[in-house]
Amino acid sequence: MGAHPRPLSFLLRHFPRGHLTAGAALAALVTFALILPESGASSGEAERNVRASLELPPPEERTRQAGSEKSAGQEEARLEWKELEVRSGDTLARLLGAQGVPAGEVHRLVTADERLKKLARIRPGETLRIGLDEQGTLQALEYRLSRVEALHANKTEGGWQAREEVREYERQLRYTRATIDDSLFMAGQRAGMSTGTIMQLARIFGWDIDFIMDIRKGDEFQVLYEELFLDGEKVGEGNIVTAEFHNRGREIAAFRYELSSGDVDYFDFEGNSMRREFIRNPVDFTRISSRFNPNRRHPVLNTMRAHRGVDYAAPTGTPVRAAGDGRVEYAGRRGGYGNVVIIRHGQKYSTLYAHLNRFHVRTGARVRQGQTIGTVGMTGMATGPHLHYEFRVNGQHRDPLRVELPQADALPREERRNFLVQANRLRNRMALHREAFTLAQNTE
Ligand SMILES: [Zn+2]
């Protein structure tokens, strides 16, 4: 009796077979991503970058490193640099020995610092850069560990000193927009976004929009996100800084904001968190087999009996997750529900998970959002394996797919002003990009 009855045929129309699987996979990933701690990055490359930026040296040193690879200081200015390629069978001693470096010096170098021990593990294909003074004595060495990480060794009066350098990506904002006519994933790909960035977008809006159930043909999004460059070459994508979704007539905007605590989160323009206290779907489902319906004929009893929850058809053994943080009020057998878990989330909310095959929690246990509490089964009154899920607000049954989910912690009052300034700036920036984008499209 819902306001938007959407049978399976609707889904298939909007997600052609191939995409349905992609959509389901996306939903699974989204659910998975939701329970991961905020990393603020999309790809492995970007994640590394986030870690890298935490370990960055102070700005003045950064500029110096970025400015010239050759001269890290005045003393090195007169050094002659050579690049040595590590070949099969090479050891550091052999490689440096060929350049006239005595074995004793190589030993002193490698043992001077824990970090310099890495030099003993050089592999074929890697390169070392060595700096020699006018007498041909080794004074400095550089070992590139990856595209962004390098190990430096400098000879000083006190012996060899090590320094690890992490290059910072150059970040540029890219604007793109797309209209969805099949799935978010396909639209994102057409708009030139990487899979990681599409997943980020899905993760940001995943609390408001169910990307399988809610997406309609004609929905739109626009997004401003970082592209990462090294030496002028694009090497990955970073964070979404702001995004806007037009979903079935709703307009939802999200802004990335770093709190003074260092935590990063996405907020709407009013400073409310995009996250919710509850996950919409407690199981990575393949399909919804029965909706919330106060006037339904019960399939087993064949009498009129309200369906006060949602059924997710899923194979026996599929993990069932706690929709939110809370305490297990009951885990055991109860009539037609079969094996059931009831979780209390504060005074106002409770959730119920029925027909479970196995329990992963006991009565009284504390659970975290996303934690597996049991597995899908068909205990109690069930015609096949599925999860029956109920959501209660002040003891009243609500449609789990439609109920307004409470927001997670809003922005602290003292951060609000700062946030608003930044959100405003991002909004203006997005508007400018949008204009330029539209202009470019029209002149094409
Ligand atoms: Zn049910």
Side-chain angles (χ1 to χ4, degrees), residues 290 296 307-312 355 386-390:
S290 178
R296 176 185 76 152
H307 189 229
R308 300 193 295 181
V310 172
D311 292 349
Y312 297 96
H355 311 308
H386 73 281
L387 172 73
H388 170 89
Y389 174 55
E390 293 181 11

Side-chain angles (χ1 to χ4, degrees), residues 121-141:
R121 296 191 290 266
I122 51 170
R123 278 182 307 225
E126 294 179 325
T127 52
L128 287 179
R129 292 178 73 246
I130 57 167
L132 307 169
D133 65 12
E134 283 154 341
Q135 285 75 46
T137 311
L138 182 69
Q139 296 291 344
L141 184 143

Side-chain angles (χ1 to χ4, degrees), residues 229-241:
F229 292 85
L230 280 177
D231 306 318
E233 188 193 332
K234 183 181 166 182
V235 291
E237 294 179 4
N239 302 306
I240 288 178
V241 295

Side-chain angles (χ1 to χ4, degrees), residues 296-305 381 383:
R296 176 185 76 152
R297 187 166 290 275
H298 194 276
V300 176
L301 300 175
N302 197 29
T303 53
M304 290 306 278
R305 198 167 132 169
M381 218 169 344
T383 49

